[in-house]
Amino acid sequence: MTEIINNIIHLPVNHNVYGDVSIQTLLDQTGYNDHYNEVTVKAILSGLNANPVLADSWLIYSSDKRSDSGWYILDTDDGKYQVGFYPETDDIPVRTYTDLNKACAIFIKLELESIRLSF
């Protein structure tokens, strides 16, 4: 499971390196789709805590997304991070966190599930 988590948290870095490969294809290569129930926010958070620089890659990934809808993570520039869904709805509230890695782990799990279920 450690290898899958490590591959997952490196997705935005790998997406930049292999820019011509879709995020869906890269996700397929991580093993996530076969073990998505075992990949928890807690496990992702543990991976990010061991590699904290990767959270910034996820912030950039989120800001670079070009879609009509989807999950996002946003640095509010006041020491807080928002995780939400665009466009906003009453059903999915925007959540605010002071811990970047925790916010990022939650965003990652939501984003991966969104990608997994869309294909």
Side-chain angles (χ1 to χ4, degrees), residues 15-26:
H15 192 246
N16 284 336
V17 171
Y18 306 105
D20 59 339
V21 178
S22 74
I23 196 75
Q24 172 67 43
T25 299
L26 291 172

Side-chain angles (χ1 to χ4, degrees), residues 59-80:
L59 284 168
I60 293 167
Y61 164 84
S62 176
S63 69
D64 286 348
K65 285 174 56 176
R66 303 288 184 253
S67 63
D68 294 340
S69 66
W71 293 101
Y72 67 85
I73 182 171
L74 175 69
D75 182 346
T76 62
D77 294 325
D78 61 356
K80 295 179 181 166

Side-chain angles (χ1 to χ4, degrees), residues 104-115:
C104 192
I106 292 166
F107 166 72
I108 291 170
K109 182 62 178 179
L110 293 167
E111 179 71 1
L112 297 184
E113 279 301 286
S114 179
I115 294 168

